[in-house]
Amino acid sequence: MKIGIFGGSFNPIHNGHIAIGRTMLRAMGLDEVWYMVSPHNPLKQSADLLDERERLRMVEKAVAGEKGLRAVDYEFSLPRPSYTWNTLQHLHRDFPDDEFVLIIGGDNWANFHRWAHSENILSTHRIA
């Protein structure tokens, strides 16, 4: 499968996030878009975030009935804070037959140079 990974705090999720997922499904020819709820983004203060399970429930409700859009708690079992590079390494190990495309919104793209292993991510993954 070809899966778009749309990570974020989703604190809260909003219509723009859903529109991006719908658009990426079509534009990138994806089978699914996974809304990867981040329990702790290293570039944000965790004290400002709603509980991770509450944010996951909000995403689940927001994508309910949306073909190809899924809420996932994959990062909940990974070390914290949640580094995208680490998540991608685990995804490739756990789902070796799938192709992952990283979906990054403009707000995060502006800070992409601050992400851990950003150059490695750019050289080894498709970015949308």
Side-chain angles (χ1 to χ4, degrees), residues 62-81:
V63 300
E66 293 280 348
K67 184 173 172 45
L69 305 184
R70 291 183 47 202
V72 295
D73 63 357
Y74 187 81
E75 286 188 342
F76 289 17
S77 62
L78 298 179
R80 296 177 191 200

Side-chain angles (χ1 to χ4, degrees), residues 22-90:
R22 287 180 190 142
T23 300
M24 288 297 116
L25 275 172
R26 289 188 313 273
M28 301 299 295
L30 302 174
D31 297 300
E32 292 183 339
V33 170
W34 290 1
Y35 287 78
M36 184 83 57
V37 179
S38 175
H40 181 197
N41 177 329
L43 299 178
K44 292 186 178 179
Q45 295 296 321
S46 60
D48 296 336
L49 298 175
L50 295 170
D51 175 75
E52 63 197 45
R53 293 279 169 200
E54 183 61 28
R55 290 183 284 121
L56 176 64
R57 281 190 292 276
M58 287 190 295
V59 175
E60 288 170 339
K61 287 180 181 181
V63 300
E66 293 280 348
K67 184 173 172 45
L69 305 184
R70 291 183 47 202
V72 295
D73 63 357
Y74 187 81
E75 286 188 342
F76 289 17
S77 62
L78 298 179
R80 296 177 191 200
S82 303
Y83 293 101
T84 299
W85 179 84
N86 186 46
T87 300
L88 290 168
Q89 300 305 305
H90 281 85

Side-chain angles (χ1 to χ4, degrees), residues 74-121:
Y74 187 81
E75 286 188 342
F76 289 17
S77 62
L78 298 179
R80 296 177 191 200
S82 303
Y83 293 101
T84 299
W85 179 84
N86 186 46
T87 300
L88 290 168
Q89 300 305 305
H90 281 85
L91 285 168
H92 287 294
R93 183 196 67 208
D94 293 344
F95 303 95
D97 297 327
D98 293 324
E99 177 185 348
F100 297 100
V101 176
L102 189 58
I103 300 170
I104 302 176
D107 56 338
N108 282 310
W109 185 247
N111 288 309
F112 189 75
H113 64 282
R114 295 178 55 203
W115 290 24
H117 304 278
S118 61
E119 292 299 321
N120 178 269
I121 293 170

